CSV table of all heavy atoms in Angstrom, one decimal:
chain,number,residue,atom,x,y,z
A,245,MET,N,-143.8,-6.0,134.7
A,245,MET,CA,-144.5,-5.3,135.7
A,245,MET,C,-145.3,-6.2,136.6
A,245,MET,O,-146.0,-7.0,136.1
A,245,MET,CB,-145.3,-4.2,135.0
A,245,MET,CG,-146.1,-3.4,136.0
A,245,MET,SD,-147.2,-2.3,135.1
A,245,MET,CE,-146.5,-0.8,135.5
A,246,GLN,N,-145.1,-6.0,137.9
A,246,GLN,CA,-145.9,-6.8,138.8
A,246,GLN,C,-147.3,-6.3,139.0
A,246,GLN,O,-147.6,-5.1,139.0
A,246,GLN,CB,-145.2,-6.7,140.2
A,246,GLN,CG,-144.0,-7.6,140.3
A,246,GLN,CD,-143.5,-7.7,141.7
A,246,GLN,OE1,-143.7,-6.7,142.5
A,246,GLN,NE2,-142.9,-8.8,142.1
A,247,GLN,N,-148.2,-7.3,139.2
A,247,GLN,CA,-149.6,-7.0,139.4
A,247,GLN,C,-149.7,-6.7,140.9
A,247,GLN,O,-149.1,-7.4,141.8
A,247,GLN,CB,-150.5,-8.2,139.1
A,247,GLN,CG,-150.5,-8.5,137.6
A,247,GLN,CD,-151.2,-7.4,136.8
A,247,GLN,OE1,-152.1,-6.8,137.3
A,247,GLN,NE2,-150.9,-7.2,135.6
A,248,PRO,N,-150.6,-5.7,141.3
A,248,PRO,CA,-150.8,-5.5,142.7
A,248,PRO,C,-151.5,-6.8,143.3
A,248,PRO,O,-152.3,-7.4,142.7
A,248,PRO,CB,-151.7,-4.3,142.8
A,248,PRO,CG,-152.3,-4.1,141.4
A,248,PRO,CD,-151.3,-4.8,140.5
A,249,THR,N,-151.1,-7.1,144.5
A,249,THR,CA,-151.6,-8.3,145.2
A,249,THR,C,-152.8,-7.9,146.1
A,249,THR,O,-152.8,-6.8,146.7
A,249,THR,CB,-150.6,-9.0,146.0
A,249,THR,OG1,-150.0,-8.2,146.9
A,249,THR,CG2,-149.5,-9.6,145.1
A,250,GLN,N,-153.7,-8.8,146.2
A,250,GLN,CA,-154.9,-8.5,147.0
A,250,GLN,C,-154.8,-9.5,148.2
A,250,GLN,O,-154.3,-10.6,148.1
A,250,GLN,CB,-156.2,-8.8,146.3
A,250,GLN,CG,-156.3,-7.9,145.0
A,250,GLN,CD,-157.5,-7.0,145.2
A,250,GLN,OE1,-158.3,-7.2,146.0
A,250,GLN,NE2,-157.5,-5.9,144.4
A,251,PRO,N,-155.3,-9.1,149.4
A,251,PRO,CA,-155.3,-10.0,150.5
A,251,PRO,C,-156.1,-11.3,150.2
A,251,PRO,O,-157.1,-11.2,149.4
A,251,PRO,CB,-155.8,-9.3,151.7
A,251,PRO,CG,-156.5,-8.0,151.1
A,251,PRO,CD,-155.9,-7.9,149.7
A,252,ASP,N,-155.7,-12.4,150.8
A,252,ASP,CA,-156.4,-13.7,150.5
A,252,ASP,C,-157.7,-13.8,151.4
A,252,ASP,O,-158.2,-14.9,151.4
A,252,ASP,CB,-155.5,-14.8,150.7
A,252,ASP,CG,-154.4,-14.9,149.6
A,252,ASP,OD1,-154.7,-14.4,148.5
A,252,ASP,OD2,-153.4,-15.5,149.9
A,253,HIS,N,-158.1,-12.8,152.1
A,253,HIS,CA,-159.3,-13.0,152.9
A,253,HIS,C,-160.4,-12.2,152.4
A,253,HIS,O,-160.3,-11.2,151.6
A,253,HIS,CB,-159.0,-12.5,154.4
A,253,HIS,CG,-158.6,-11.1,154.5
A,253,HIS,ND1,-159.5,-10.1,154.5
A,253,HIS,CD2,-157.4,-10.5,154.5
A,253,HIS,CE1,-158.9,-8.9,154.6
A,253,HIS,NE2,-157.6,-9.1,154.6
A,254,ARG,N,-161.6,-12.6,152.7
A,254,ARG,CA,-162.8,-11.9,152.2
A,254,ARG,C,-163.2,-10.9,153.2
A,254,ARG,O,-162.9,-11.0,154.4
A,254,ARG,CB,-164.0,-12.9,152.1
A,254,ARG,CG,-163.7,-14.0,151.1
A,254,ARG,CD,-164.9,-14.9,151.0
A,254,ARG,NE,-164.7,-15.9,149.9
A,254,ARG,CZ,-165.3,-17.0,149.8
A,254,ARG,NH1,-166.3,-17.3,150.6
A,254,ARG,NH2,-165.0,-17.8,148.8
A,255,PRO,N,-163.8,-9.8,152.8
A,255,PRO,CA,-164.2,-8.8,153.7
A,255,PRO,C,-165.3,-9.3,154.7
A,255,PRO,O,-166.0,-10.2,154.4
A,255,PRO,CB,-164.9,-7.7,152.8
A,255,PRO,CG,-165.2,-8.4,151.5
A,255,PRO,CD,-164.2,-9.5,151.4
A,256,ALA,N,-165.2,-8.8,155.9
A,256,ALA,CA,-166.2,-9.2,156.9
A,256,ALA,C,-167.6,-8.9,156.5
A,256,ALA,O,-167.9,-7.8,156.0
A,256,ALA,CB,-165.8,-8.6,158.3
A,257,ILE,N,-168.5,-9.8,156.8
A,257,ILE,CA,-169.9,-9.6,156.5
A,257,ILE,C,-170.5,-8.8,157.8
A,257,ILE,O,-170.3,-9.3,158.9
A,257,ILE,CB,-170.7,-10.9,156.3
A,257,ILE,CG1,-170.1,-11.6,155.1
A,257,ILE,CG2,-172.2,-10.6,156.2
A,257,ILE,CD1,-170.6,-13.0,154.9
A,258,PRO,N,-171.1,-7.7,157.6
A,258,PRO,CA,-171.6,-7.0,158.7
A,258,PRO,C,-172.8,-7.7,159.3
A,258,PRO,O,-173.6,-8.4,158.7
A,258,PRO,CB,-172.1,-5.6,158.1
A,258,PRO,CG,-172.3,-5.9,156.7
A,258,PRO,CD,-171.3,-7.0,156.3
A,259,GLN,N,-172.8,-7.7,160.7
A,259,GLN,CA,-173.9,-8.4,161.4
A,259,GLN,C,-175.2,-7.6,161.2
A,259,GLN,O,-175.2,-6.4,161.1
A,259,GLN,CB,-173.6,-8.5,162.9
A,259,GLN,CG,-172.5,-9.5,163.2
A,259,GLN,CD,-172.4,-9.6,164.7
A,259,GLN,OE1,-172.4,-8.7,165.4
A,259,GLN,NE2,-172.2,-10.9,165.2
A,260,THR,N,-176.2,-8.4,161.2
A,260,THR,CA,-177.6,-7.7,161.1
A,260,THR,C,-177.9,-7.2,162.5
A,260,THR,O,-177.7,-7.9,163.5
A,260,THR,CB,-178.6,-8.8,160.7
A,260,THR,OG1,-178.2,-9.3,159.5
A,260,THR,CG2,-180.0,-8.2,160.6
A,261,VAL,N,-178.3,-6.0,162.5
A,261,VAL,CA,-178.7,-5.4,163.8
A,261,VAL,C,-180.2,-5.2,163.8
A,261,VAL,O,-180.7,-4.6,162.9
A,261,VAL,CB,-177.9,-4.0,164.0
A,261,VAL,CG1,-178.4,-3.3,165.2
A,261,VAL,CG2,-176.4,-4.2,163.9
A,262,GLY,N,-180.8,-5.7,164.8
A,262,GLY,CA,-182.2,-5.5,165.0
A,262,GLY,C,-182.5,-4.6,166.2
A,262,GLY,O,-181.6,-4.3,167.0
A,263,VAL,N,-183.6,-4.0,166.2
A,263,VAL,CA,-184.1,-3.1,167.3
A,263,VAL,C,-185.3,-3.8,167.9
A,263,VAL,O,-186.2,-4.2,167.2
A,263,VAL,CB,-184.4,-1.7,166.7
A,263,VAL,CG1,-184.9,-0.8,167.8
A,263,VAL,CG2,-183.1,-1.1,166.1
A,264,ALA,N,-185.3,-3.8,169.2
A,264,ALA,CA,-186.4,-4.4,170.0
A,264,ALA,C,-186.7,-3.6,171.2
A,264,ALA,O,-185.9,-2.8,171.6
A,264,ALA,CB,-186.1,-5.9,170.4
A,265,TRP,N,-187.9,-3.8,171.7
A,265,TRP,CA,-188.4,-3.1,172.9
A,265,TRP,C,-187.9,-3.7,174.1
A,265,TRP,O,-188.1,-4.9,174.4
A,265,TRP,CB,-189.9,-3.1,172.9
A,265,TRP,CG,-190.6,-2.3,174.0
A,265,TRP,CD1,-191.0,-2.8,175.1
A,265,TRP,CD2,-190.8,-0.9,174.0
A,265,TRP,NE1,-191.6,-1.8,175.9
A,265,TRP,CE2,-191.4,-0.6,175.2
A,265,TRP,CE3,-190.5,0.1,173.1
A,265,TRP,CZ2,-191.8,0.7,175.5
A,265,TRP,CZ3,-190.9,1.4,173.4
A,265,TRP,CH2,-191.5,1.7,174.6
A,266,CYS,N,-187.1,-2.9,174.9
A,266,CYS,CA,-186.6,-3.4,176.2
A,266,CYS,C,-187.8,-3.3,177.2
A,266,CYS,O,-188.3,-2.2,177.5
A,266,CYS,CB,-185.4,-2.6,176.7
A,266,CYS,SG,-184.9,-3.1,178.4
A,267,ALA,N,-188.2,-4.4,177.8
A,267,ALA,CA,-189.3,-4.5,178.7
A,267,ALA,C,-189.0,-3.9,180.0
A,267,ALA,O,-189.9,-3.5,180.8
A,267,ALA,CB,-189.8,-5.9,178.9
A,268,TRP,N,-187.7,-3.7,180.4
A,268,TRP,CA,-187.3,-3.2,181.7
A,268,TRP,C,-187.3,-1.7,181.7
A,268,TRP,O,-187.8,-1.1,182.6
A,268,TRP,CB,-186.0,-3.8,182.1
A,268,TRP,CG,-186.2,-5.2,182.8
A,268,TRP,CD1,-186.2,-5.4,184.1
A,268,TRP,CD2,-186.4,-6.4,182.2
A,268,TRP,NE1,-186.4,-6.7,184.4
A,268,TRP,CE2,-186.6,-7.4,183.2
A,268,TRP,CE3,-186.6,-6.9,180.9
A,268,TRP,CZ2,-186.9,-8.7,183.0
A,268,TRP,CZ3,-186.9,-8.2,180.6
A,268,TRP,CH2,-187.0,-9.1,181.6
A,269,HIS,N,-186.6,-1.1,180.7
A,269,HIS,CA,-186.6,0.4,180.8
A,269,HIS,C,-187.6,1.0,179.8
A,269,HIS,O,-187.7,2.2,179.7
A,269,HIS,CB,-185.1,0.9,180.5
A,269,HIS,CG,-184.7,1.0,179.1
A,269,HIS,ND1,-184.0,-0.1,178.5
A,269,HIS,CD2,-184.8,2.0,178.2
A,269,HIS,CE1,-183.8,0.3,177.3
A,269,HIS,NE2,-184.2,1.5,177.0
A,270,GLU,N,-188.4,0.1,179.1
A,270,GLU,CA,-189.5,0.6,178.3
A,270,GLU,C,-189.1,1.6,177.2
A,270,GLU,O,-189.6,2.7,177.1
A,270,GLU,CB,-190.7,1.1,179.1
A,270,GLU,CG,-191.2,0.0,180.1
A,270,GLU,CD,-192.4,0.5,180.9
A,270,GLU,OE1,-192.6,1.7,181.0
A,270,GLU,OE2,-193.1,-0.4,181.4
A,271,ALA,N,-188.1,1.1,176.4
A,271,ALA,CA,-187.7,1.9,175.2
A,271,ALA,C,-187.1,1.0,174.2
A,271,ALA,O,-186.7,-0.1,174.5
A,271,ALA,CB,-186.7,3.0,175.6
A,272,TYR,N,-186.9,1.4,173.0
A,272,TYR,CA,-186.2,0.6,171.9
A,272,TYR,C,-184.7,0.6,172.2
A,272,TYR,O,-184.2,1.5,172.7
A,272,TYR,CB,-186.5,1.2,170.6
A,272,TYR,CG,-187.9,1.0,170.1
A,272,TYR,CD1,-188.8,2.0,170.1
A,272,TYR,CD2,-188.4,-0.3,169.7
A,272,TYR,CE1,-190.1,1.8,169.7
A,272,TYR,CE2,-189.7,-0.5,169.3
A,272,TYR,CZ,-190.6,0.6,169.3
A,272,TYR,OH,-191.8,0.4,168.9
A,273,SER,N,-184.1,-0.5,171.8
A,273,SER,CA,-182.7,-0.7,172.0
A,273,SER,C,-182.2,-1.6,170.9
A,273,SER,O,-182.8,-2.6,170.5
A,273,SER,CB,-182.4,-1.3,173.3
A,273,SER,OG,-181.0,-1.7,173.4
A,274,ALA,N,-181.0,-1.3,170.4
A,274,ALA,CA,-180.3,-2.1,169.4
A,274,ALA,C,-179.5,-3.3,170.1
A,274,ALA,O,-179.0,-4.2,169.4
A,274,ALA,CB,-179.3,-1.3,168.6
A,275,THR,N,-179.5,-3.3,171.4
A,275,THR,CA,-178.7,-4.3,172.2
A,275,THR,C,-179.7,-5.3,172.8
A,275,THR,O,-179.2,-6.1,173.6
A,275,THR,CB,-177.8,-3.7,173.2
A,275,THR,OG1,-178.6,-3.0,174.2
A,275,THR,CG2,-176.8,-2.8,172.6
A,276,ALA,N,-181.0,-5.2,172.6
A,276,ALA,CA,-182.0,-6.0,173.3
A,276,ALA,C,-181.8,-7.5,172.8
A,276,ALA,O,-181.7,-7.7,171.6
A,276,ALA,CB,-183.4,-5.5,173.0
A,277,ARG,N,-181.9,-8.4,173.8
A,277,ARG,CA,-181.9,-9.8,173.5
A,277,ARG,C,-183.0,-10.5,174.3
A,277,ARG,O,-183.4,-10.0,175.4
A,277,ARG,CB,-180.5,-10.4,173.8
A,277,ARG,CG,-179.5,-9.9,172.9
A,277,ARG,CD,-178.1,-10.5,173.1
A,277,ARG,NE,-178.1,-11.9,172.8
A,277,ARG,CZ,-177.2,-12.7,173.3
A,277,ARG,NH1,-176.1,-12.2,173.9
A,277,ARG,NH2,-177.2,-14.0,173.1
A,278,LEU,N,-183.5,-11.6,173.9
A,278,LEU,CA,-184.6,-12.3,174.6
A,278,LEU,C,-184.1,-12.9,175.8
A,278,LEU,O,-183.1,-13.7,175.9
A,278,LEU,CB,-185.1,-13.4,173.6
A,278,LEU,CG,-186.4,-14.0,174.0
A,278,LEU,CD1,-187.6,-13.0,174.2
A,278,LEU,CD2,-186.8,-15.1,173.0
A,279,VAL,N,-184.8,-12.7,177.0
A,279,VAL,CA,-184.4,-13.2,178.3
A,279,VAL,C,-185.7,-13.8,178.9
A,279,VAL,O,-186.8,-13.6,178.4
A,279,VAL,CB,-183.8,-12.2,179.2
A,279,VAL,CG1,-182.5,-11.6,178.7
A,279,VAL,CG2,-184.8,-11.1,179.5
A,280,GLN,N,-185.5,-14.6,179.9
A,280,GLN,CA,-186.7,-15.2,180.6
A,280,GLN,C,-186.6,-14.7,182.0
A,280,GLN,O,-185.6,-14.8,182.7
A,280,GLN,CB,-186.6,-16.7,180.6
A,280,GLN,CG,-187.8,-17.4,181.1
A,280,GLN,CD,-187.8,-18.9,180.7
A,280,GLN,OE1,-186.9,-19.4,180.0
A,280,GLN,NE2,-188.8,-19.6,181.2
A,281,ASP,N,-187.7,-14.2,182.5
A,281,ASP,CA,-187.7,-13.6,183.9
A,281,ASP,C,-188.0,-14.8,184.9
A,281,ASP,O,-188.2,-15.9,184.5
A,281,ASP,CB,-188.7,-12.5,184.0
A,281,ASP,CG,-190.2,-12.9,183.9
A,281,ASP,OD1,-190.5,-14.1,183.9
A,281,ASP,OD2,-191.0,-12.0,183.7
A,282,ALA,N,-188.0,-14.4,186.2
A,282,ALA,CA,-188.2,-15.4,187.2
A,282,ALA,C,-189.5,-16.1,187.1
A,282,ALA,O,-189.7,-17.3,187.5
A,282,ALA,CB,-188.0,-14.8,188.6
A,283,GLY,N,-190.5,-15.5,186.6
A,283,GLY,CA,-191.9,-16.1,186.4
A,283,GLY,C,-192.0,-17.0,185.2
A,283,GLY,O,-193.0,-17.6,185.0
A,284,GLY,N,-191.0,-17.0,184.4
A,284,GLY,CA,-191.0,-17.8,183.2
A,284,GLY,C,-191.4,-17.1,181.9
A,284,GLY,O,-191.3,-17.7,180.8
A,285,ALA,N,-191.8,-15.8,182.0
A,285,ALA,CA,-192.2,-15.0,180.9
A,285,ALA,C,-190.9,-14.6,180.1
A,285,ALA,O,-189.9,-14.4,180.7
A,285,ALA,CB,-193.0,-13.8,181.3
A,286,ARG,N,-191.1,-14.5,178.8
A,286,ARG,CA,-189.9,-14.1,177.9
A,286,ARG,C,-190.2,-12.7,177.4
A,286,ARG,O,-191.2,-12.4,176.9
A,286,ARG,CB,-189.8,-15.1,176.7
A,286,ARG,CG,-189.4,-16.5,177.2
A,286,ARG,CD,-189.3,-17.4,176.0
A,286,ARG,NE,-188.9,-18.7,176.5
A,286,ARG,CZ,-188.5,-19.7,175.7
A,286,ARG,NH1,-188.4,-19.5,174.4
A,286,ARG,NH2,-188.1,-20.8,176.3
A,287,HIS,N,-189.1,-11.9,177.6
A,287,HIS,CA,-189.2,-10.5,177.2
A,287,HIS,C,-187.8,-10.1,176.6
A,287,HIS,O,-186.8,-10.8,176.8
A,287,HIS,CB,-189.4,-9.6,178.4
A,287,HIS,CG,-190.6,-9.9,179.2
A,287,HIS,ND1,-191.9,-9.5,178.8
A,287,HIS,CD2,-190.8,-10.5,180.4
A,287,HIS,CE1,-192.8,-9.9,179.7
A,287,HIS,NE2,-192.1,-10.5,180.6
A,288,PHE,N,-187.7,-9.0,175.9
A,288,PHE,CA,-186.4,-8.5,175.5
A,288,PHE,C,-185.9,-7.5,176.5
A,288,PHE,O,-186.6,-6.8,177.1
A,288,PHE,CB,-186.6,-7.7,174.1
A,288,PHE,CG,-186.8,-8.7,173.0
A,288,PHE,CD1,-188.0,-9.0,172.5
A,288,PHE,CD2,-185.7,-9.2,172.3
A,288,PHE,CE1,-188.2,-9.8,171.4
A,288,PHE,CE2,-185.8,-10.1,171.3
A,288,PHE,CZ,-187.1,-10.4,170.8
A,289,ALA,N,-184.6,-7.6,176.7
A,289,ALA,CA,-183.9,-6.7,177.7
A,289,ALA,C,-182.6,-6.2,177.0
A,289,ALA,O,-181.9,-7.0,176.4
A,289,ALA,CB,-183.5,-7.5,178.9
A,290,CYS,N,-182.3,-4.9,177.1
A,290,CYS,CA,-181.1,-4.4,176.6
A,290,CYS,C,-179.9,-4.7,177.4
A,290,CYS,O,-180.0,-5.3,178.5
A,290,CYS,CB,-181.2,-2.8,176.4
A,290,CYS,SG,-181.2,-2.0,178.0
A,291,TYR,N,-178.7,-4.4,176.9
A,291,TYR,CA,-177.5,-4.7,177.6
A,291,TYR,C,-177.4,-4.2,179.0
A,291,TYR,O,-177.1,-4.9,179.9
A,291,TYR,CB,-176.3,-4.3,176.7
A,291,TYR,CG,-175.0,-4.5,177.4
A,291,TYR,CD1,-174.4,-5.8,177.4
A,291,TYR,CD2,-174.3,-3.6,178.1
A,291,TYR,CE1,-173.2,-6.1,178.1
A,291,TYR,CE2,-173.1,-3.8,178.8
A,291,TYR,CZ,-172.6,-5.1,178.7
A,291,TYR,OH,-171.4,-5.4,179.4
A,292,SER,N,-177.7,-2.9,179.1
A,292,SER,CA,-177.6,-2.3,180.5
A,292,SER,C,-178.6,-2.9,181.5
A,292,SER,O,-178.3,-3.1,182.6
A,292,SER,CB,-177.7,-0.8,180.4
A,292,SER,OG,-178.9,-0.4,179.9
A,293,CYS,N,-179.8,-3.2,181.0
A,293,CYS,CA,-180.8,-3.8,181.9
A,293,CYS,C,-180.4,-5.2,182.2
A,293,CYS,O,-180.6,-5.7,183.4
A,293,CYS,CB,-182.2,-3.7,181.3
A,293,CYS,SG,-182.8,-2.0,181.3
A,294,ARG,N,-179.8,-6.0,181.3
A,294,ARG,CA,-179.3,-7.3,181.6
A,294,ARG,C,-178.3,-7.3,182.7
A,294,ARG,O,-178.2,-8.1,183.5
A,294,ARG,CB,-178.8,-8.0,180.3
A,294,ARG,CG,-179.9,-8.3,179.3
A,294,ARG,CD,-179.4,-9.3,178.2
A,294,ARG,NE,-178.2,-9.0,177.6
A,294,ARG,CZ,-178.0,-8.2,176.5
A,294,ARG,NH1,-179.1,-7.7,175.9
A,294,ARG,NH2,-176.8,-8.0,176.0
A,295,GLN,N,-177.4,-6.3,182.6
A,295,GLN,CA,-176.3,-6.1,183.6
A,295,GLN,C,-176.9,-5.7,184.9
A,295,GLN,O,-176.6,-6.3,186.0
A,295,GLN,CB,-175.3,-5.1,183.2
A,295,GLN,CG,-174.5,-5.5,181.9
A,295,GLN,CD,-173.7,-6.7,182.1
A,295,GLN,OE1,-172.9,-6.8,183.1
A,295,GLN,NE2,-173.8,-7.6,181.2
A,296,ALA,N,-177.8,-4.8,184.9
A,296,ALA,CA,-178.4,-4.3,186.2
A,296,ALA,C,-179.3,-5.3,186.9
A,296,ALA,O,-179.3,-5.3,188.1
A,296,ALA,CB,-179.2,-3.0,185.9
A,297,TYR,N,-180.0,-6.1,186.1
A,297,TYR,CA,-180.9,-7.0,186.8
A,297,TYR,C,-180.5,-8.5,186.7
A,297,TYR,O,-181.2,-9.4,187.0
A,297,TYR,CB,-182.3,-6.9,186.1
A,297,TYR,CG,-182.9,-5.6,186.3
A,297,TYR,CD1,-182.9,-4.6,185.3
A,297,TYR,CD2,-183.5,-5.2,187.5
A,297,TYR,CE1,-183.5,-3.3,185.5
A,297,TYR,CE2,-184.0,-3.9,187.7
A,297,TYR,CZ,-184.0,-3.0,186.7
A,297,TYR,OH,-184.5,-1.8,186.9
A,298,ASP,N,-179.2,-8.7,186.3
A,298,ASP,CA,-178.6,-10.0,186.2
A,298,ASP,C,-179.4,-11.0,185.4
A,298,ASP,O,-179.8,-12.1,185.8
A,298,ASP,CB,-178.3,-10.6,187.6
A,298,ASP,CG,-177.4,-11.7,187.7
A,298,ASP,OD1,-176.5,-11.8,186.8
A,298,ASP,OD2,-177.5,-12.6,188.5
A,299,LEU,N,-179.7,-10.6,184.2
A,299,LEU,CA,-180.5,-11.4,183.3
A,299,LEU,C,-179.6,-12.0,182.2
A,299,LEU,O,-178.7,-11.4,181.7
A,299,LEU,CB,-181.6,-10.5,182.5
A,299,LEU,CG,-182.5,-9.7,183.4
A,299,LEU,CD1,-183.2,-8.6,182.6
A,299,LEU,CD2,-183.5,-10.7,184.1
A,300,THR,N,-179.8,-13.3,182.0
A,300,THR,CA,-179.1,-14.0,181.0
A,300,THR,C,-179.9,-14.2,179.7
A,300,THR,O,-181.0,-14.7,179.8
A,300,THR,CB,-178.6,-15.4,181.5
A,300,THR,OG1,-177.9,-15.2,182.8
A,300,THR,CG2,-177.8,-16.2,180.6
A,301,PRO,N,-179.4,-13.9,178.6
A,301,PRO,CA,-180.1,-14.1,177.3
A,301,PRO,C,-180.4,-15.6,177.2
A,301,PRO,O,-179.6,-16.5,177.5
A,301,PRO,CB,-179.1,-13.7,176.2
A,301,PRO,CG,-178.3,-12.7,176.9
A,301,PRO,CD,-178.1,-13.2,178.3
A,302,ILE,N,-181.6,-15.9,176.7
A,302,ILE,CA,-182.0,-17.3,176.5
A,302,ILE,C,-181.0,-18.1,175.6
A,302,ILE,O,-180.6,-19.2,175.8
A,302,ILE,CB,-183.4,-17.4,175.9
A,302,ILE,CG1,-184.4,-16.9,177.0
A,302,ILE,CG2,-183.7,-18.8,175.4
A,302,ILE,CD1,-185.8,-16.8,176.5
A,303,ALA,N,-180.4,-17.4,174.6
A,303,ALA,CA,-179.5,-18.0,173.7
A,303,ALA,C,-178.2,-18.4,174.4
A,303,ALA,O,-177.5,-19.3,173.9
A,303,ALA,CB,-179.2,-17.1,172.5
A,304,ASP,N,-177.9,-17.8,175.5
A,304,ASP,CA,-176.7,-18.1,176.2
A,304,ASP,C,-176.8,-19.1,177.4
A,304,ASP,O,-175.9,-19.4,178.1
A,304,ASP,CB,-176.1,-16.8,176.8
A,304,ASP,CG,-175.6,-15.8,175.7
A,304,ASP,OD1,-175.5,-16.3,174.6
A,304,ASP,OD2,-175.3,-14.7,176.1
A,305,THR,N,-178.1,-19.6,177.6
A,305,THR,CA,-178.3,-20.6,178.6
A,305,THR,C,-178.1,-22.0,178.0
A,305,THR,O,-178.5,-22.3,176.9
A,305,THR,CB,-179.7,-20.4,179.2
A,305,THR,OG1,-180.7,-20.5,178.2
A,305,THR,CG2,-179.9,-19.1,179.9
A,306,PRO,N,-177.6,-22.9,178.8
A,306,PRO,CA,-177.4,-24.3,178.3
A,306,PRO,C,-178.8,-25.0,178.1
A,306,PRO,O,-179.7,-24.7,178.9
A,306,PRO,CB,-176.6,-25.0,179.4
A,306,PRO,CG,-176.8,-24.1,180.6
A,306,PRO,CD,-177.1,-22.7,180.2
A,307,CYS,N,-178.8,-25.8,177.1
A,307,CYS,CA,-180.1,-26.6,176.9
A,307,CYS,C,-180.2,-27.7,177.9
A,307,CYS,O,-179.2,-28.3,178.2
A,307,CYS,CB,-180.0,-27.2,175.5
A,307,CYS,SG,-180.1,-25.9,174.2
A,308,THR,N,-181.4,-28.0,178.3
A,308,THR,CA,-181.6,-29.1,179.2
A,308,THR,C,-182.3,-30.2,178.4
A,308,THR,O,-183.2,-29.9,177.7
A,308,THR,CB,-182.5,-28.7,180.4
A,308,THR,OG1,-183.7,-28.2,179.9
A,308,THR,CG2,-181.8,-27.7,181.3
A,309,PRO,N,-181.8,-31.4,178.6
A,309,PRO,CA,-182.4,-32.5,177.8
A,309,PRO,C,-183.8,-32.8,178.2
A,309,PRO,O,-184.2,-32.6,179.4
A,309,PRO,CB,-181.5,-33.7,178.1
A,309,PRO,CG,-180.7,-33.4,179.3
A,309,PRO,CD,-180.7,-31.9,179.4
A,310,ALA,N,-184.7,-33.2,177.3
A,310,ALA,CA,-186.0,-33.5,177.6
A,310,ALA,C,-186.1,-34.8,178.4
A,310,ALA,O,-185.3,-35.7,178.2
A,310,ALA,CB,-186.8,-33.7,176.3
A,311,SER,N,-187.0,-34.8,179.3
A,311,SER,CA,-187.2,-36.0,180.2
A,311,SER,C,-188.0,-37.1,179.6
A,311,SER,O,-188.9,-36.9,178.8
A,311,SER,CB,-187.9,-35.6,181.5
A,311,SER,OG,-187.1,-34.6,182.2
């Protein structure tokens, strides 16, 4: 009798989801990420506000070497 075979891959690990306050629409959001505004201040912005205000998450900006 044959043994049932199992797939050779591990189950996907679910991503941790955090909730943060979107400084633009002033409400909690599960899609909020840290951005830097034109004045240099850092705030959280949700996905729709990042799209509407053309905000780039800090984690997605290239690093600049120290002078």
Side-chain angles (χ1 to χ4, degrees):
M245 176 182 247
Q246 280 189 330
Q247 295 288 334
T249 59
Q250 301 245 343
D252 290 336
H253 62 82
R254 294 182 180 164
I257 298 171
Q259 286 187 319
T260 303
V261 176
V263 176
W265 183 262
C266 175
W268 274 259
H269 80 270
E270 299 182 340
Y272 288 107
S273 172
T275 64
R277 293 183 62 197
L278 192 61
V279 299
Q280 188 166 357
D281 67 13
R286 294 178 177 195
H287 305 282
F288 284 96
C290 70
Y291 177 78
S292 59
C293 289
R294 291 194 313 268
Q295 295 296 311
Y297 298 103
D298 195 30
L299 301 166
T300 303
I302 291 174
D304 294 349
T305 57
C307 294
T308 56
S311 299

